[in-house]
Amino acid sequence: MERAHWIETPRTGRLLQQARDTFLTSGDLDPGLVRESIQASWLRSSRLRVDTDNVDPSYLGLEGPTPLALSAAPVLSALADELANESVSIILTDQHGLVLQRTCPDPSLIRQLDKASLSPGFSYAEEQVGTNGIGTTLEAGVPTMVTGSEHFTGPLGGFACAGAPIHHPVTGSLLGVLDLTSSVSHSNALLMFCARSTAQKIEQQLLTRSGAKELALFRDYLAACQHSSSGVIALSGDLVMMNSQAQQRFDPVDQTALLARSRDAAGSSEQVTLVADLPSGLVARLDYRPVFAGSEFAGGVLKIQVQSGLDSTTGTVRSVVPVMPGLAGTSATWQRVCQAVDTSRRNGSWMVLEGEAGVGKIALLRSVNQLRNGSGHFRIMDASECGPGWLDTVAEELSAGVGSLVIRRAHLLDSDSVSALSGLLLEHDQSSGVWVALTMRSEPRNPEVDAQLLPHFSHTVEVPPLRHHLEDMHKLVPHLLGRLNRGNNLSISPSALAQLMRLPWLGNVEQLRRVLLRIAQQRRSGTIDLDDLPGECRATTRRRLTQLESLERDAVVKALVIHRGNKDKAASDLGMSRATIYRKIRDYGINLTI
């Protein structure tokens, strides 16, 4: 078991500084000197490529007092009185490391804190400033002391920070951190004890403020979530809760509109049904039911049902996004794309789908054709195969008068082919009965295609890369596994899914499909865990690796798995030093849990 923390002396400070310098230059760690929690944080900070020489956290601003800040206020006021003669700063943050409040009686320490931007409105998450008493406490989930050179970023080495997590007394969710910060020279063993006891007092204050009304509202909210697959909102005078279905189904703009409409029912002691016209064009019905704690009004719970949307061109009501056969995804981003493609197919208006390779453009078009045209004719003409007879086949398809025609990878067409295809599209316009769709890359552009082909199409829809709607991985991964492993029960563990969601997926859905296919070929039933993921999925580096680097990364992962995370044995097998394997783990962002 590692020691809770230490008080840095000049000698231990020098040793720790040397250990930090060694890690930053070679990746080597001294487990006898650097605590396990600090080692883990240094590795995370290194993978996140946090600047080791400069402190530059993002300023996110504040939007008024939060429930946490209001509950903590009397506790922090009492603590400030107790520490009035001490050179200690009292800092309260939210669950993301955003500094909500700071109190400090020492002008000299205040200047140091301001210089490090450790002040209200700035984020002190690990991804912003590396190892520190706030961000590392949030990552570890336990009280954490970070002293002097244990900080990943050099300019923070003059501070000693004791952070204690604050949890919701009812739900147990992490709400924020109570952090006590002093200079290293003023640090003492009581900082950690004081931070923990203060966090506990804040949690007790939260429970007191929650009271019977909030608990009643929370119970009804949980019941509504358990018995409904739709979005749920609960609200009272100072509390708003929104379940994950609502957060995934509606983008932030629609969420704001829903909350604003919900306020129209707030305070009512009668059941009410409201209708909300959302900025995205969706129309939602909100069924409101009041909640009581005994005879006292406590708030209300609203169940959300999406009914329909309005066609922006005609003003008529259109149906909501249907279930798209062969596709998976419920995020607002993905749903809007599906809705746009479906509307175009139903109206018979020709369209262009743009996007990176592998995002699912053809899958979208197949799905909407199956939905709206059943087993009707569906033809794909790939521009990469354009040659003698290709344009003749396109002309035959356009003359058929029925079905769907997809011109795939239109950006690959040469000038002559673009001109000829433009003439065919002009001859057979959108009234011909054939629905035509073009797919192409967003970049690089083909000026000839832009100038001659795009004018034939009513509109263009951008299909987003997978990294822009990673929340759909919860649906997409099981969907793909079901298609790749028909007849066998193959699922994925939460930890493995979480690792997949950390990756950039530069090859998009097609890359994910190939990865899952490789896994399914090795494991045909059971649960996919972290150890089952291939090497390319065990790293979180954001750069594209060369083939040689990919092979090296996979070898490192394999050696670590064989030796159950023992880096010395893995390094020996690979013929590299301990320092080198640590550097490889850091550079490739390898995330290994044994």
Side-chain angles (χ1 to χ4, degrees):
M1 180 181 296
E2 69 170 11
R3 59 188 180 278
H5 60 275
W6 68 6
I7 301 303
E8 186 169 306
T9 65
R11 178 177 178 277
T12 58
R14 287 193 299 272
L15 292 173
L16 189 56
Q17 179 64 53
Q18 292 172 3
R20 175 179 173 275
D21 291 344
T22 299
F23 171 75
L24 295 179
T25 56
S26 68
D28 199 7
L29 284 164
D30 186 344
L33 185 61
V34 183
R35 294 183 288 143
E36 290 181 7
S37 60
I38 300 301
Q39 292 180 46
S41 178
W42 282 3
L43 288 169
R44 288 194 300 267
S45 302
S46 180
R47 286 197 296 267
L48 291 166
R49 305 197 180 279
V50 174
D51 193 333
T52 60
D53 300 318
N54 301 289
V55 181
D56 188 24
S58 297
Y59 180 74
L60 304 178
L62 299 174
E63 297 181 355
T66 64
L68 173 61
L70 292 172
S71 296
V75 177
L76 299 186
S77 177
L79 179 62
D81 290 341
E82 294 178 17
L83 301 179
N85 297 318
E86 303 292 336
S87 181
V88 176
S89 176
I90 305 168
I91 298 170
L92 180 70
T93 80
D94 69 6
Q95 72 272 33
H96 305 298
L98 175 66
V99 179
L100 303 176
Q101 295 180 4
R102 187 190 73 186
T103 303
C104 181
D106 184 348
S108 175
L109 180 57
I110 289 176
R111 287 193 294 271
Q112 295 177 54
L113 296 172
D114 286 344
K115 186 176 180 180
S117 297
L118 183 45
S119 56
F122 286 91
S123 171
Y124 251 66
E126 266 194 353
E127 64 191 46
Q128 295 283 338
V129 296
T131 307
N132 72 94
I134 295 168
T136 304
T137 296
L138 290 171
E139 290 291 335
V142 296
T144 303
M145 182 87 172
V146 180
T147 304
S149 294
E150 289 183 326
H151 289 88
F152 184 79
T153 301
L156 297 181
F159 295 117
C161 310
I166 302 170
H167 293 93
H168 193 287
V170 179
T171 67
S173 60
L174 183 60
L175 299 179
V177 169
L178 186 281
D179 174 80
L180 299 181
T181 292
S182 71
S183 64
V184 171
S185 59
H186 286 86
S187 175
N188 64 69
L190 293 178
L191 276 184
M192 191 73 257
F193 172 79
C194 187
R196 294 177 66 174
S197 63
T198 302
Q200 291 170 358
K201 291 176 183 177
I202 293 173
E203 290 175 353
Q204 184 60 44
Q205 188 69 16
L206 284 164
L207 181 61
T208 301
R209 284 180 61 90
S210 293
K213 292 193 295 183
E214 284 75 13
L215 288 173
L217 180 62
F218 184 67
R219 283 194 298 267
D220 280 28
Y221 166 72
L222 286 181
C225 292
Q226 291 168 359
H227 295 93
S228 174
S229 59
S230 61
V232 176
I233 295 175
L235 71 167
S236 63
D238 58 359
L239 176 66
V240 175
M241 293 178 282
M242 180 182 292
N243 69 347
S244 59
Q245 286 91 334
Q247 294 178 44
Q248 293 172 7
R249 180 66 181 84
F250 303 103
D251 64 18
V253 176
D254 278 359
Q255 289 178 30
T256 301
L258 281 170
L259 291 173
R261 190 71 174 104
S262 299
R263 290 296 183 188
D264 293 337
S268 173
S269 58
E270 303 291 336
Q271 293 188 17
V272 179
T273 298
L274 304 173
V275 175
D277 294 320
L278 304 181
S280 65
L282 296 175
V283 177
R285 188 185 74 187
L286 294 82
D287 294 316
Y288 168 88
R289 186 174 64 81
V291 177
F292 296 90
S295 60
E296 193 172 359
F297 178 74
V301 174
L302 301 98
K303 293 184 179 180
I304 309 168
Q305 295 289 343
V306 177
Q307 291 187 310
S308 62
L310 293 178
D311 191 310
S312 60
T313 58
T314 66
T316 58
V317 175
R318 54 171 166 74
S319 60
V320 71
V321 181
V323 177
M324 304 289 283
L327 301 179
T330 57
S331 69
T333 299
W334 181 248
Q335 292 265 311
R336 277 198 298 272
V337 172
C338 292
Q339 192 172 57
V341 177
D342 179 54
T343 300
S344 176
R345 182 64 184 89
R346 285 189 296 106
N347 294 341
S349 56
W350 294 359
M351 71 177 306
V352 177
L353 283 187
E354 286 188 357
E356 297 176 6
V359 295
K361 298 185 289 292
I362 294 297
L364 259 169
L365 295 171
R366 286 189 187 278
S367 178
V368 77
N369 183 75
Q370 182 180 345
L371 180 69
R372 299 300 174 189
N373 196 30
S375 58
H377 185 67
F378 182 77
R379 181 68 180 267
I380 299 174
M381 297 296 296
D382 197 322
S384 66
E385 302 170 356
C386 184
W390 190 86
L391 286 167
D392 292 338
T393 304
V394 171
E396 292 173 4
E397 292 292 329
L398 290 170
S399 300
V402 293
S404 302
L405 172 64
V406 177
I407 307 297
R408 187 181 189 186
R409 292 187 277 208
H411 56 282
L412 299 179
L413 292 170
D414 58 32
S415 297
D416 291 340
S417 298
V418 168
S419 297
L421 179 58
S422 177
L424 288 174
L425 295 176
L426 184 62
E427 182 181 350
H428 303 83
D429 60 19
Q430 300 190 26
S431 63
S432 65
V434 179
W435 183 63
V436 182
L438 223 63
T439 74
M440 55 191 287
R441 296 274 189 91
S442 303
E443 296 291 341
R445 308 297 301 188
N446 182 331
E448 297 290 339
V449 170
D450 289 352
Q452 297 189 54
L453 293 186
L454 296 194
H456 294 285
F457 296 85
S458 300
H459 57 285
T460 299
V461 173
E462 178 83 20
V463 182
L466 180 56
R467 61 186 175 274
H468 290 176
H469 58 111
L470 284 173
E471 61 269 36
D472 283 329
M473 294 277 279
H474 291 282
K475 299 284 187 182
L476 185 57
V477 170
H479 170 75
L480 291 175
L481 285 174
R483 299 190 66 176
L484 294 170
N485 200 41
R486 296 184 186 277
N488 294 309
N489 184 19
L490 185 59
S491 60
I492 189 165
S493 70
S495 59
L497 180 60
Q499 175 61 17
L500 293 181
M501 293 179 69
R502 294 188 185 102
L503 304 177
W505 296 111
L506 299 178
N508 295 297
V509 179
E510 178 55 27
Q511 181 190 3
L512 175 63
R513 190 196 67 81
R514 291 196 302 267
V515 165
L516 295 177
L517 176 59
R518 289 169 55 191
I519 297 172
Q521 289 170 341
Q522 301 297 320
R523 173 185 280 278
R524 295 175 179 81
S525 62
T527 302
I528 298 169
D529 214 334
L530 275 175
D531 290 347
D532 298 308
L533 300 181
E536 68 180 278
C537 297
R538 305 294 281 276
T540 55
T541 180
R542 294 289 174 175
R543 64 185 177 90
R544 191 183 293 273
L545 302 181
T546 66
Q547 183 63 28
L548 185 60
E549 288 175 324
S550 296
L551 293 173
E552 183 180 57
R553 175 205 58 205
D554 292 353
V556 171
V557 170
K558 182 178 180 180
L560 288 169
V561 170
I562 290 174
H563 294 291
R564 301 194 59 78
N566 188 309
K567 300 174 182 63
D568 288 336
K569 293 181 179 179
S572 178
D573 271 6
L574 294 167
M576 60 178 62
S577 69
R578 188 167 179 263
T580 299
I581 198 171
Y582 270 105
R583 188 169 64 253
K584 299 298 183 185
I585 291 171
R586 181 184 69 237
D587 290 345
Y588 293 140
I590 295 172
N591 180 15
L592 195 72
T593 302
I594 301 295

